[in-house]
């Protein structure tokens, strides 16, 4: 009989049972039969950290079968179970095929990218998935391998930002090598966060993210010297869906395309710390959450990341250095693969400028959520964000924070100086 433990008394769906985890182990470990002994449930993330999914950390104890009999030796394994319940408010996730895409990425694309790279691993090990009764995917627990998530509220320092940008450069470059070997893969990854067909029919998207833009318009209209910028933001609000869709749609002038992670902010990558002399300096980085990946301009990932996940002072003082760190890793990876026609740094600069509105979206729609203190974030959900009274209370609290105001003032002034508001 399987022992079930749930010390935190969390709500666990009925289908996450003995049969589910037996099938998970048999598929993930490539075993014809295992005997499950114990299942121990815990939350896999903090309340408010994940808007679209519930994440469980599940420790399982089991025995393999050897030569037709159960082995006397038991083993333990820690798994991450990610469930993606589709409600009326999250229907746009179904429309963008997040479950199918993430499963394909873990089972097909990431293994090929790992082989094509110079010994890099870009994601966790895939174990199992089911589409019903709730879309669910099971991965290895990266925490057991020494990985942890950096603070989303504090923003990344140089060591963390530069390391993940090196990993992103390798990921983007390797995805170009894969696309050259298998051009059909590009057609399978066309829908990202700002896909036109999703934006045009999803009221949820505009209600949620447009609410943050309205909050920024309200705040910026009261900042001295920002009157003109506030009007530009109102014009963006008036054309919200078209401007957002145009930020990512393919263009004739695009210099090159890569597989974008598609959701490049702090909770979607993890760090390993292996230097005992510098325990706070990360030595490894890995990605999680590939449900919004798409082939498009590399600047979509980069501008989104630069506008959502980095300490303001670092952006102000070393933004160009960070981009050069990314490009050096990108170029080195392509040279290792003997890739012809490697994009130049000038090509990258062109892409970054042409997709500044993608970064603008990240700044007004995601930066307020990402930097939100834990006490403000606990009741965050897409469903709650549909309630106007809830959203207004939340917005007033969010936009009263000085550090967020300072970050957005700098980003808006930078965008204005570059002429970004003339892009739409």
């Amino acid at each position: 009989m399987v022992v079930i433990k749930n010390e935190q008394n969390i709500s666990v769906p009925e289908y996450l049972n003995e049969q589910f985890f037996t099938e998970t182990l048999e598929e993930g470990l490539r075993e014809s039969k295992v005997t499950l002994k114990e299942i121990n449930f815990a939350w896999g993330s903090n309340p408010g950290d994940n808007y679209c999914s519930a994440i469980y950390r599940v420790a399982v104890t089991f025995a393999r079968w050897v030569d037709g009999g159960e082995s006397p030796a038991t083993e333990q394994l820690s798994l991450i179970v990610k469930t993606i319940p589709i409600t009326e408010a999250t229907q746009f996730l179904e429309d963008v095929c997040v479950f199918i895409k993430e499963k394909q990425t873990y089972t097909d694309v990431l293994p090929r990218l790992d082989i094509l790279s110079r010994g890099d691993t870009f994601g966790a090990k895939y174990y199992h998935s089911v589409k019903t009764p709730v879309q669910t995917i099971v991965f290895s627990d990266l925490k057991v391998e020494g990985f942890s998530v950096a603070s989303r509220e504090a923003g990344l320092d140089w060591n963390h930002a530069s390391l993940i940008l090196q990993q992103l450069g390798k990921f983007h470059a390797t995805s170009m090598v894969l696309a050259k070997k298998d051009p059909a893969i590009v057609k399978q990854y066309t829908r990202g966060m700002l896909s036109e067909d999703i934006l045009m029919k999803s009221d949820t998207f505009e209600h949620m993210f447009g609410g943050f833009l309205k909050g920024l318009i309200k705040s910026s209209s009261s900042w001295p010297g920002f009157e003109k910028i506030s009007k530009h933001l109102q014009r963006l609000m008036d054309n919200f869906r078209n401007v957002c869709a145009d930020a990512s749609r393919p263009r004739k002038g695009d210099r090159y395309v890569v597989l974008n992670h598609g959701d490049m902010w702090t909770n979607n990558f993890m760090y390993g710390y292996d230097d005992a002399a510098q325990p706070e300096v990360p030595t490894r980085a890995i990605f999680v959450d590939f449900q919004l990946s798409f082939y498009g301009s590399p600047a979509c990932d980069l501008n989104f990341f630069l506008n959502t996940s980095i300490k303001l002072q670092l952006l102000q003082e070393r933004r160009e250095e960070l981009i050069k760190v990314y490009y050096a890793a990108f170029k080195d990876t392509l040279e290792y693969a003997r890739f012809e026609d490697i994009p130049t740094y000038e090509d990258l600069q062109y892409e970054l400028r042409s997709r500044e509105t993608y970064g603008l979206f990240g700044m007004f729609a995601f930066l307020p959520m990402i930097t939100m203190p834990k006490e403000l974030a606990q009741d965050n959900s897409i469903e709650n964000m549909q309630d106007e009274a809830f959203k207004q209370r939340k917005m007033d609290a969010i936009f009263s924070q000085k550090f967020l105001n300072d970050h957005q003032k700098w980003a808006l002034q930078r965008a204005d100086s570059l002429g970004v508001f003339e892009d739409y």
Side-chain angles (χ1 to χ4, degrees), residues 96-301:
V96 83
C97 304
V98 295
F99 174 76
I100 297 299
K101 180 186 292 181
E102 188 156 38
K103 180 179 178 179
Q104 178 181 354
T105 303
Y106 274 99
T107 58
D108 177 40
V109 175
L110 291 184
R112 286 198 277 170
L113 292 183
D114 290 350
I115 290 170
L116 292 170
S117 73
R118 196 185 302 175
D120 287 291
T121 299
F122 295 112
K125 171 182 166 58
Y126 167 90
Y127 273 81
H128 182 55
S129 62
V130 294
K131 193 167 185 179
T132 59
V134 178
Q135 296 179 352
T136 303
I137 306 183
V138 185
F139 317 101
S140 59
D141 183 1
L142 291 170
K143 189 174 181 180
V144 173
E145 298 173 38
F147 288 99
S148 59
V149 177
S151 169
R152 61 171 175 78
E153 307 100 303
L156 302 177
D157 59 17
W158 171 266
N159 291 322
H160 288 80
S162 60
L163 183 61
I164 197 63
L165 282 171
Q166 288 177 52
Q167 193 73 353
L168 185 64
K170 296 174 185 178
F171 178 75
H172 282 175
T174 310
S175 77
M176 289 181 68
V177 178
L178 176 61
K180 190 169 185 178
K181 292 179 177 292
D182 182 9
I185 199 77
V186 177
K187 295 178 182 178
Q188 297 173 30
Y189 283 83
T190 58
R191 291 177 165 186
M193 186 187 299
L194 299 184
S195 294
E196 186 169 6
D197 55 345
I198 307 305
L199 278 166
M200 294 309 172
K201 64 180 181 182
S202 172
D203 291 336
T204 300
F205 197 93
E206 183 169 351
H207 286 160
M208 183 174 182
F209 297 121
F212 285 103
L213 178 54
K214 288 177 183 176
L216 179 57
I217 292 169
K218 181 180 177 182
S219 291
S220 62
S221 65
S222 66
W223 298 337
F226 280 79
E227 296 81 7
K228 186 178 176 183
I229 288 177
S230 187
K231 290 179 180 177
H232 284 312
L233 293 175
Q234 183 59 57
R235 188 164 49 83
L236 195 162
M237 187 71 242
D238 294 340
N239 299 278
F240 183 83
R241 299 190 193 198
N242 283 321
V243 174
C244 289
D246 188 59
S248 68
R249 83 166 48 100
R251 302 172 189 170
K252 284 186 177 180
D254 289 342
R255 303 285 176 90
Y256 62 105
V257 300
V258 302
L259 180 62
N260 281 262
H261 174 278
D263 202 5
M264 271 295 293
W265 65 279
T266 325
N267 275 19
N268 288 336
F269 36 84
M270 301 176 75
Y271 295 96
Y273 303 82
D274 304 310
D275 187 349
Q278 295 179 294
E280 296 181 1
V281 177
T283 54
R284 295 174 290 150
I286 197 166
F287 300 108
V288 298
D289 200 344
F290 292 91
Q291 59 189 26
L292 293 171
S293 299
F294 69 100
Y295 267 94
S297 170
C300 295
D301 265 354

Side-chain angles (χ1 to χ4, degrees), residues 243-257 296-300 303 319 346-360 414 418-424:
V243 174
C244 289
D246 188 59
S248 68
R249 83 166 48 100
R251 302 172 189 170
K252 284 186 177 180
D254 289 342
R255 303 285 176 90
Y256 62 105
V257 300
S297 170
C300 295
N303 282 334
R319 187 178 185 278
E346 181 188 2
D347 291 329
L348 174 59
Q349 292 285 77
Y350 174 87
E351 290 297 322
L352 286 166
R353 175 59 189 88
S354 73
R355 303 289 175 167
E356 281 285 352
T357 50
Y358 204 103
L360 193 63
R414 177 182 171 276
L418 292 172
V420 176
F421 298 117
E422 307 306 319
D423 291 355
Y424 60 85

Side-chain angles (χ1 to χ4, degrees), residues 53-73:
S53 57
I55 298 178
Y56 307 91
R57 174 169 281 108
V58 184
V60 293
T61 303
F62 64 97
R64 301 178 194 247
W65 279 58
V66 181
D67 297 327
E70 182 184 317
S71 169

Side-chain angles (χ1 to χ4, degrees), residues 47-54 83-94 96 98 193 198 202-212 263 265 289 291-292 361 365-366 369 372 376-392 394-395:
D49 279 356
N50 295 89
Y51 288 79
C52 306
S53 57
T83 68
I84 313 167
I86 300 300
T87 65
E88 185 178 346
T90 59
Q91 181 59 42
F92 71 94
L93 294 174
E94 180 80 353
V96 83
V98 295
M193 186 187 299
I198 307 305
S202 172
D203 291 336
T204 300
F205 197 93
E206 183 169 351
H207 286 160
M208 183 174 182
F209 297 121
F212 285 103
D263 202 5
W265 65 279
D289 200 344
Q291 59 189 26
L292 293 171
F361 167 78
F366 274 76
M369 292 192 292
M372 198 183 300
L376 267 181
Q378 287 185 353
D379 54 356
N380 283 353
S381 70
I382 287 183
E383 284 78 12
N384 281 344
M385 286 298 181
Q386 304 306 299
D387 180 81
E388 287 302 320
F390 173 90
K391 189 162 62 176
Q392 191 54 57
K394 186 73 70 173
M395 294 300 165

